[in-house]
C-alpha cells in the first residue's frame, strides 16, 4: 500500500493519497468470486464490481474529459443516472477491472502532463484546476472505498483499507 510522504511535494502527495485509496478499492475485490462481486448488498443494489465500474468512469470523466484528452466510451446514460454503477451480465469481472486499470493509467497520464494550476473545463464549462480535480477524486475514491469496506465486510468479514494478517483476537 502506497503511503503519502511526510515531506513530499504537493502533487506527489496528492497522487500518493489517491493511489492509496485506489489500491484499497482493488483490495476490496481481491479473492472474491464473480457472484460475490456482483451481489447487491444494500437496498439500492450497491455491489463491489459496480463501484469499481463507477470509479473507472468518473476517473476518465474528471481527468481525461476535463483536460481534453481522448478516452474510451463511458457508461453514462442521460436517462439513467446509475448506469455507471451497474455491471451488465455480458460484462466480465476481468473487463471491469481492466476498465479501471485503463482509467487509472489515463488519469496518471493527465496528472503527469499537467501542472496543479493548469485549467480544464468541467461538464458545465466551468474552469477547474488539476489540483481541484485531484482533491475531488481523492474524496470520491475514498468515499466509495468506504462503501466497499462495508460491503466487503458484509460478504466475508474482511475489513480495513489494506491487507493485514488475520488477527488471533
Amino acid at each position: 500500500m502506497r503511503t503519502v510522504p511526510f515531506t513530499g511535494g504537493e502533487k506527489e502527495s496528492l497522487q500518493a493519497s489517491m493511489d492509496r485509496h485506489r489500491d484499497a478499492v482493488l483490495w476490496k475485490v481481491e479473492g472474491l468470486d464473480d457472484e460475490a462481486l456482483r451481489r447487491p448488498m444494500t437496498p439500492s443494489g450497491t455491489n463491489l464490481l459496480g463501484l469499481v465500474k463507477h470509479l473507472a468512469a468518473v476517473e476518465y470523466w474528471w481527468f481525461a474529459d476535463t483536460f481534453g484528452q481522448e478516452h474510451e466510451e463511458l457508461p453514462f446514460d442521460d436517462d439513467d443516472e446509475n448506469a455507471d454503477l451497474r455491471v451488465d451480465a455480458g460484462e466480465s469481472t476481468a473487463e471491469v477491472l481492466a476498465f479501471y486499470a485503463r482509467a487509472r493509467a489515463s488519469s496518471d497520464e493527465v496528472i503527469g502532463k499537467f501542472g496543479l494550476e493548469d485549467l480544464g473545463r468541467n461538464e458545465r464549462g466551468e474552469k477547474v484546476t488539476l489540483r481541484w480535480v485531484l482533491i475531488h477524486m481523492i474524496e470520491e475514491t475514498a468515499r466509495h472505498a468506504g462503501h466497499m469496506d462495508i460491503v466487503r465486510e458484509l460478504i466475508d468479514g474482511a475489513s480495513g483499507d489494506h491487507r493485514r494478517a488475520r488477527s488471533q483476537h
Side-chain angles (χ1 to χ4, degrees):
M1 165 107 11
R2 187 167 175 190
T3 59
V4 178
F6 291 132
T7 59
E10 183 180 10
K11 189 175 187 181
E12 173 191 15
S13 295
L14 289 169
Q15 187 160 15
S17 178
M18 192 158 121
D19 284 344
R20 186 175 194 285
H21 296 300
R22 287 164 153 180
D23 291 346
V25 164
L26 292 176
W27 177 71
K28 290 298 156 190
V29 300
E30 194 173 276
L32 294 176
D33 64 20
D34 193 62
E35 185 278 326
L37 291 171
R38 293 170 185 265
R39 186 182 315 154
M41 297 302 293
T42 67
S44 66
T46 299
N47 65 74
L48 292 171
L49 202 55
L51 288 166
V52 173
K53 182 177 176 180
H54 167 73
L55 285 168
V58 296
E59 277 220 24
Y60 266 132
W61 178 261
W62 278 109
F63 287 102
D65 202 72
T66 297
F67 289 91
Q69 306 301 295
E70 289 188 24
H71 57 80
E72 61 192 278
E73 185 175 343
L74 302 179
F76 297 122
D77 182 341
D78 290 338
D79 297 324
D80 181 1
E81 67 181 22
N82 293 317
D84 62 311
L85 285 161
R86 264 193 306 286
V87 180
D88 298 326
E91 292 177 279
S92 72
T93 295
E95 288 170 336
V96 174
L97 294 175
F99 178 47
Y100 188 51
R102 290 189 307 274
R104 285 180 64 163
S106 172
S107 299
D108 289 345
E109 284 181 28
V110 170
I111 294 165
K113 182 176 182 178
F114 294 93
L116 291 175
E117 295 297 323
D118 287 344
L119 297 174
R121 291 199 180 268
N122 66 17
E123 74 279 2
R124 293 183 302 269
E126 300 163 321
K127 291 179 184 176
V128 295
T129 63
L130 178 62
R131 176 184 292 107
W132 185 91
V133 172
L134 268 163
I135 291 168
H136 175 72
M137 283 307 304
I138 290 166
E139 293 169 343
E140 178 87 3
T141 306
R143 176 175 169 252
H144 290 308
H147 295 147
M148 293 177 80
D149 191 38
I150 293 166
V151 170
R152 177 70 189 250
E153 186 174 3
L154 290 170
I155 291 170
D156 70 356
S159 65
D161 64 354
H162 61 280
R163 289 172 205 81
R164 293 187 185 113
R166 293 266 179 194
S167 170
Q168 298 298 322
H169 305 294

